[in-house]
């Protein structure tokens, strides 16, 4: 049995304002990201979340924290999930 | 046949083909062309509800709102754009801060130079059991910070003051009062309706805890925009919103979210207005606040000097352009301000504002209550020749009044 490989990390955030603030901080730091609808099952928060490449997840987390973006949770998306990517 | 309402523009242009707009303290006019362009672009190309839905247009609308937040935060020196709360105008922001934080049994100190958007909510709180002290200012509208300190009581929780008078432009000693507020552990709420955008500002180091601004005056945005800056010393848990409702966040909860800005921003935002506000603020930054301030300062000095040389004209306030914004009020002996305003408009094409300017307290301080005064307020688009034209007009009116007085 092979270990799961991941393609994306979703950062679930408190609100659309936090999402946009996060997007602006990530882009400024040169980390590609996308604002996408949050998977309903994972989020009771706002409708959108921040998607980053799995390889940039740690760096992205630091940038978000430094920018004061309140992260309500994360979801890692496996490579074979069939979800659209950035 | 039903009589038709005259078209205001046609009616207006017939009488005064060119308007000299000296009512910028009410709302700035014209707006930079970038402002209507940004608003049209929002309506035509985005037009969705910001932050409510996950689709690209809604996300883009949320970006527009956030960019406006960022622009205001950068201009006014707020470290975290999410501490910029948007609402309809400065009046709503002031009501939010006052009614959201002040409880019966507490005490608030304010000044004799306030606009009714401060006074009326305070008087209503007073009627409901909050103590209120209005500290007198001099007849020139100058506040002695020591008098504010003397007015404090053990139950005082807040000092509320305007940054600059909307009647005579006087700059109030916010820094000194902020030191008093800090020393006594009080909140300082500043009404910056006139000053935000008109002066360089740094909220974080200003000592203010809350600052109300409006988007449509010196920020050059459209009407229907404004907001409240909330500092870190404000206890959010004890700060009640004025309205509760949909925020696009925490949608499965029936309780209002506690985080900023959502706690205080229920209901669909004025995204088209905020698109315009962002454009106004960007324009302002490109021009330079200091640059506009120094131009307005020169014109104000010219206006003050010219008015003070006209016989029969009484200029209110300090009369010193460096101590005020470009807002000048005067009276002409023997002439009702209403008549002066009408003649300035009809005969000289000058748009001024007469009366009490929503500030009976200020006019009481200046000794112009209840008749009021004539207010001329300049903006970034006014010129020296407009000031000179206005001075000639006032001279003519004063001469007529003087002749009239001699005849009787
Ligand atoms: C000093 C002052 N405070 C508050 C206000 C209220 O601003 P707004 O009409 O945008 O609510 C004004 C503007 O009229 C003002 O000049």
């Amino acid at each position: 049995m092979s270990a799961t490989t991941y393609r994306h990390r979703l950062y679930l955030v408190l609100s659309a304002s936090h999402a946009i603030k996060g997007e602006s901080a990530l882009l400024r730091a040169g980390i590609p990201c996308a604002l996408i609808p949050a998977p309903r099952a994972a989020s009771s928060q706002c409708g959108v979340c921040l998607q980053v490449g799995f390889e940039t997840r740690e760096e992205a987390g630091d940038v978000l924290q430094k920018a004061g973006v309140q992260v309500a949770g994360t979801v890692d998306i496996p490579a074979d999930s069939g979800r659209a990517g950035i | 046949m039903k009589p038709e309402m005259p078209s205001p523009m046609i009616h207006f242009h017939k009488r005064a083909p060119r308007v000299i707009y000296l009512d910028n303290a009410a709302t700035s006019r014209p707006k930079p062309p970038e402002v209507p362009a940004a608003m049209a672009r929002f309506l035509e190309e985005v037009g969705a509800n910001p932050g409510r839905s996950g689709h690209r247009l809604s996300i883009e609308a949320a970006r527009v709102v956030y960019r406006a937040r960022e622009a205001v935060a950068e201009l006014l020196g707020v470290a975290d754009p999410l501490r910029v709360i948007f609402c309809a105008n400065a009046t709503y922001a002031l009501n939010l801060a006052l009614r959201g934080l002040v409880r019966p049994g507490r005490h608030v100190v304010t000044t004799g130079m306030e606009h009714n958007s401060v006074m009326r909510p305070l008087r209503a709180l007073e009627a409901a059991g909050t103590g209120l002290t209005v500290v007198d200012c001099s007849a020139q509208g100058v506040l002695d910070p020591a008098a504010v300190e003397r007015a404090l009581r053990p139950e005082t929780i807040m000092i509320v003051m305007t940054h600059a008078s909307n009647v005579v432009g006087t700059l109030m000693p916010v820094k000194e009062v902020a030191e008093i507020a800090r020393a006594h552990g009080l909140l300082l709420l500043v009404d910056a309706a006139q000053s935000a955008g008109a002066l360089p500002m740094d909220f974080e180091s200003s000592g203010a805890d809350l600052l109300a601004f409006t988007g449509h005056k010196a920020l050059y945005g459209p009407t229907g925009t404004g907001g409240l800056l909330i500092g870190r010393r404000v206890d959010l848990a004890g700060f009640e919103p004025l309205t509760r409702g949909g925020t696009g966040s925490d949608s499965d909860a029936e309780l209002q979210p506690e985080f900023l800005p959502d706690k205080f921003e229920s209901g669909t935002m004025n995204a088209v207005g905020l698109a315009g506000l962002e454009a106004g603020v960007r324009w302002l930054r490109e021009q330079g606040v200091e640059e506009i301030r120094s131009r307005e300062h020169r014109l104000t000095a010219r206006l003050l000097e010219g008015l003070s040389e006209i016989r029969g004209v009484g200029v209110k306030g300090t009369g010193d352009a460096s101590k005020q914004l470009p807002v000048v009020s005067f009276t002409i002996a023997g002439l009702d301000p209403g008549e002066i305003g009408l003649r300035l408009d009809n005969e000289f094409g000058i748009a001024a504002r007469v009366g009490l300017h929503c500030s009976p307290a200020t006019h009481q301080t200046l000794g112009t209550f209840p008749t009021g005064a004539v207010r001329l307020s300049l903006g970034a688009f006014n010129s020296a020749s407009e000031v000179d034209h206005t001075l000639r007009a006032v001279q003519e009116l004063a001469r007529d009044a003087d002749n009239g007085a001699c005849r009787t």
Side-chain angles (χ1 to χ4, degrees):
Chain A
M1 210 175 80
S2 64
T4 315
T5 55
Y6 293 98
R7 181 139 159 243
H8 294 120
R9 172 165 285 183
L10 306 183
Y11 283 97
L12 309 174
V13 289
L14 277 186
S15 66
S17 307
H18 279 267
I20 311 285
K21 188 183 193 188
E23 177 190 47
S24 137
L26 289 170
L27 294 180
R28 227 175 288 145
I31 302 172
C33 68
L35 280 174
I36 61 165
R40 184 67 194 106
S43 170
S44 67
Q45 304 296 336
C46 75
V48 285
C49 66
L50 282 157
Q51 175 182 266
V52 297
F54 197 68
E55 66 290 353
T56 59
R57 65 193 182 282
E58 307 271 330
E59 201 190 335
D62 289 346
V63 168
L64 293 176
Q65 197 195 3
K66 273 205 202 93
V69 175
Q70 292 195 34
V71 173
T74 57
V75 180
D76 292 335
I77 308 294
D80 57 3
S81 72
R83 272 181 74 100
I86 33 177
Chain B
M1 210 173 79
K2 232 171 106 189
E4 266 188 32
M5 285 277 285
S7 148
M9 283 320 280
I10 292 168
H11 189 59
F12 189 64
H13 276 295
K14 262 188 210 154
R15 285 185 297 164
R18 200 172 75 89
V19 182
I20 294 181
Y21 185 80
L22 298 182
D23 197 16
N24 289 278
T27 195
S28 52
R29 180 188 182 279
K31 306 298 180 191
E34 290 86 342
V35 172
M39 295 171 77
R41 204 179 319 120
F42 179 86
L43 287 171
E44 287 164 7
E45 293 172 19
V46 186
N49 197 323
R52 295 297 194 267
S53 324
H55 59 74
R56 72 184 69 183
L57 293 176
S58 173
I59 291 172
E60 187 51 29
R63 281 195 191 102
V64 168
V65 171
Y66 187 79
R67 280 200 294 268
R69 244 185 257 289
E70 236 176 8
V72 168
E74 280 167 25
L75 186 82
L76 303 183
V78 186
D80 182 358
L82 301 188
R83 287 185 170 265
V84 178
I85 308 301
F86 282 131
C87 53
N89 46 41
T91 303
Y92 187 98
L94 290 161
N95 272 267
L96 169 60
L98 292 170
R99 289 163 56 193
L101 286 161
V102 180
R103 306 277 170 267
R106 300 303 206 142
H107 174 248
V108 177
V109 176
T110 191
T111 84
M113 290 295 283
E114 302 305 315
H115 189 272
N116 265 346
S117 54
V118 169
M119 270 317 175
R120 286 181 173 172
L122 281 178
R123 290 298 182 198
L125 287 169
E126 187 184 28
T130 299
L132 175 65
T133 303
V134 181
V135 176
D136 288 337
C137 297
S138 76
Q140 280 75 43
V142 175
L143 174 72
D144 174 10
V148 173
E149 191 156 31
R150 284 196 297 276
L152 302 181
R153 299 184 197 158
E155 67 274 22
T156 308
I157 57 154
M158 187 189 276
I159 302 171
V160 192
M161 67 187 294
T162 189
H163 188 191
S165 162
N166 65 306
V167 180
V168 280
T170 319
L171 296 171
M172 306 297 276
V174 169
K175 252 203 149 54
E176 291 82 345
V177 174
E179 277 163 26
I180 294 167
R182 285 284 151 112
H184 293 268
L186 308 174
L187 292 176
L188 174 63
L189 165 61
V190 173
D191 172 4
Q194 291 294 335
S195 58
L199 293 172
M201 207 175 271
D202 183 50
F203 177 66
E204 300 293 348
S205 67
S206 69
D209 298 293
L210 298 134
L211 184 142
F213 66 93
T214 204
H216 63 97
K217 298 185 198 270
L219 294 176
Y220 291 89
T223 49
T225 58
L228 183 68
L229 310 182
I230 301 182
R232 288 176 197 278
R233 291 200 314 157
V234 178
D235 168 29
L236 292 180
F239 191 172
E240 290 287 311
L242 286 185
T243 49
R244 294 179 174 83
T247 56
S249 52
D250 254 357
S251 290
D252 53 2
E254 292 188 355
L255 291 177
Q256 187 75 5
E258 280 297 315
F259 50 84
L260 296 178
D262 297 40
K263 180 170 185 175
F264 302 110
E265 286 183 353
S266 294
T268 299
M269 308 282 294
N270 178 12
V272 60
L274 294 172
L277 177 61
E278 194 227 341
V281 172
R282 297 254 170 254
W283 175 86
L284 191 55
R285 296 191 78 201
E286 276 157 29
Q287 302 292 309
V289 171
E290 302 257 18
E291 182 58 36
I292 293 176
R293 163 80 184 145
S294 78
R295 209 163 56 224
E296 288 176 345
H297 173 267
R298 281 197 299 278
L299 293 182
T300 307
R302 191 181 186 105
L303 184 59
L304 284 169
E305 195 187 328
L307 286 174
S308 68
E309 286 167 0
I310 302 173
R311 204 174 111 139
V313 168
V315 179
K316 308 301 161 195
T318 64
D320 180 346
S322 63
K323 293 186 179 147
Q324 65 174 87
L325 293 185
V327 182
V328 172
S329 279
F330 69 95
T331 52
I332 299 178
L335 264 192
D336 180 77
E339 192 186 336
I340 301 172
L342 190 65
R343 290 190 59 191
L344 284 176
D345 190 357
N346 282 351
E347 296 171 29
F348 301 96
I350 296 167
R353 179 166 171 191
V354 300
L356 294 174
H357 314 98
C358 296
S359 306
T362 309
H363 281 281
Q364 253 149 2
T365 299
L366 302 170
T368 42
F369 187 84
T371 345
V374 183
R375 183 182 74 182
L376 305 172
S377 48
L378 308 169
F381 295 98
N382 288 120
S383 66
S385 66
E386 289 180 322
V387 168
D388 293 346
H389 174 80
T390 305
L391 288 170
R392 283 193 295 276
V394 174
Q395 201 158 26
E396 201 167 307
L397 296 182
R399 198 180 321 117
D400 289 354
D402 201 25
N403 290 342
C406 291
R407 276 200 302 272
T408 53

